[in-house]
Amino acid sequence: MSPPKLLFAGADEYQAMFVEAAASLPDIDLVPYRPDVDLTGIEYLLMWRPVPGLPAALPKLKAVFCFGAGVERLLANPELPSHVPLVRMVEPGLTQGMTEYVLWQTLRHHRRIWELEEAQAEGRWAPHWYPAAWERQVGILGLGTLGQAAAAQLLEYGFPVRGWSRNRKELAGVKSFAGDGELPDFLRDLEILICLLPLTPETSGILNAVNFARLALGASLINVGRGGHLVEADLIPAIDSGQLQAASLDVFAQEPLPPGHPFWAHPRIFVTPHNASDTNPASGLREICRQIRRVEGGLPLEHVADRGRGY
Ligand code: NDP
Ligand code: OXD
């Protein structure tokens, strides 16, 4: 029997890498998407940006795998049939990449690396003081797959970690806050705030001036969730007033970040191109194969997005 066909309509720049990784996987027949591709017999779809007309052209579709962990764009696509499950990407490569980014940026803010870089650029020998990791309050908005992995890594490095989620968590070493009512207590006096939330109507705009004012004076922001979490107009005034010392932003209201946007040139804003973490072709496809085997074996899919919750 021939293996199930998986149509790759993920990020175009990754297509060749996925085709290569799929060549060694006997469980699937990966079909790269092109407008003229033969769609006969496609049962599974790997998708990132909605492609007009695509789900409708696939009458045998059993599941859509989102190319990333954030499903807000695909959930908002009216062309996605309500009976077809949408699966969030949960795979070790994506988790590893995010854990690295969060640790890297947390250490950058903890040690105020930019002061050393500025001093070197000016040829100044300028040692500076920094607290011990265990004296630095770090908080993660969103304690899901990625937030939990980041929390575990930060704990390893000695940072005290708080987390905020809808439902309270029992995670060794993490102080858990749950629901809107506990958000102010979660934020109070935090020195490094990391956003790893999904974008939903409830979380949109959560990184705003009111919440910045609840943090410790001179706190840092790391936004790796979505651009829509940040009220962009509130950020530079918060940094310029000293409420925040700096920010690392991987995601933006408009991507690519437009030329001339004030974030590009601000000395206390570190910009990365929505690249904190990406699905790894080999481990991502292995995970999709595992899920397809579940479906073909009559088992339920895992990590199915909940359309009501929006993530
Ligand atoms: P999960 O679905 O596993 O976790 C989401 C977390 O957010 C859960 O802990 C959930 O709470 C919490 N949450 C959702 N809504 C609320 C709310 N209204 N109030 C409080 N907590 C809330 O997602 P992942 O960890 O896999 O991914 C998180 C996000 O990271 C993605 O949606 C995406 O936007 C972003 N991302 C960014 C990448 C990048 O490169 N920049 C790469 C990958 C992901 P509960 O546990 O109680 O349900
Ligand atoms: C994701 C992303 O959602 O890359 O996985 O942003």
Side-chain angles (χ1 to χ4, degrees):
M1 217 172 75
S2 49
K5 286 188 184 177
L6 171 70
L7 182 66
F8 180 93
D12 293 343
E13 58 276 27
Y14 288 85
Q15 196 180 82
M17 282 190 283
F18 274 73
V19 168
E20 193 186 327
S24 59
L25 294 171
D27 297 1
I28 45 160
D29 175 6
L30 188 117
V31 179
Y33 176 74
R34 288 185 317 270
D36 61 345
V37 73
D38 177 9
L39 298 175
T40 313
I42 300 280
E43 291 174 310
Y44 298 96
L45 172 61
L46 174 56
M47 203 176 192
W48 187 221
R49 292 178 191 87
V51 178
L54 238 197
L58 304 173
K60 296 196 160 161
L61 194 60
K62 293 181 181 169
V64 176
F65 295 98
C66 180
F67 190 69
V71 290
E72 74 288 347
R73 228 175 359 200
L74 294 185
L75 279 182
N77 178 6
E79 295 192 47
L80 187 74
S82 56
H83 66 276
V84 175
L86 173 66
V87 180
R88 297 187 307 107
M89 185 58 73
V90 177
E91 66 92 7
L94 189 65
T95 304
Q96 173 68 21
M98 186 55 81
T99 306
E100 286 170 9
Y101 186 96
V102 168
L103 178 63
W104 169 41
Q105 289 308 308
T106 300
L107 292 173
R108 187 171 173 276
H109 290 275
H110 171 55
R111 300 289 293 256
R112 306 192 312 282
I113 302 295
W114 55 86
E115 290 183 7
L116 301 172
E117 288 169 347
E118 284 163 14
Q120 180 177 353
E122 293 163 14
R124 257 188 308 118
W125 185 264
H128 68 191
W129 182 86
Y130 48 88
W134 57 83
E135 294 170 322
R136 185 72 91 187
Q137 296 298 323
V138 179
I140 305 178
L141 291 164
L143 274 182
T145 306
L146 301 178
Q148 290 191 25
Q153 185 66 262
L154 294 172
L155 285 169
E156 282 259 310
Y157 270 76
F159 292 101
V161 178
R162 296 177 207 171
W164 184 70
S165 45
R166 284 194 344 162
N167 306 292
R168 197 172 308 287
K169 309 287 178 200
E170 296 288 337
L171 298 170
V174 178
K175 188 151 193 244
S176 164
F177 295 76
D180 291 344
E182 295 185 12
L183 182 62
D185 284 343
F186 162 80
L187 294 169
R188 184 161 305 123
D189 297 332
L190 273 184
E191 295 172 88
I192 299 179
L193 176 66
I194 299 156
C195 178
L196 262 170
L197 287 165
L199 186 64
T200 67
E202 290 76 32
T203 64
S204 171
I206 193 167
L207 304 174
N208 58 45
V210 171
N211 285 331
F212 294 155
R214 295 181 161 129
L215 304 171
L217 199 61
S220 286
L221 171 68
I222 300 172
N223 187 19
V224 271
R226 285 288 183 261
H229 289 128
L230 175 66
V231 177
E232 288 196 348
D234 289 358
L235 182 63
I236 291 180
I239 296 176
D240 291 351
S241 73
Q243 176 58 59
L244 296 181
Q245 68 166 343
S248 300
L249 305 178
D250 185 57
V251 285
F252 303 89
Q254 189 184 336
E255 295 179 3
L257 187 63
H261 191 290
F263 290 171
W264 280 118
H266 196 285
R268 291 284 179 274
I269 298 178
F270 180 66
V271 168
T272 51
H274 197 145
N275 200 207
S277 175
D278 291 315
T279 297
N280 177 275
S283 54
L285 280 176
R286 276 199 299 274
E287 168 61 16
I288 289 174
C289 288
R290 187 188 71 82
Q291 291 262 39
I292 290 178
R293 281 196 301 273
R294 287 181 67 84
V295 178
E296 301 297 321
L299 293 170
L301 282 160
E302 295 171 350
H303 313 305
V304 175
D306 180 322
R307 291 168 198 244
R309 287 185 326 186
Y311 67 99

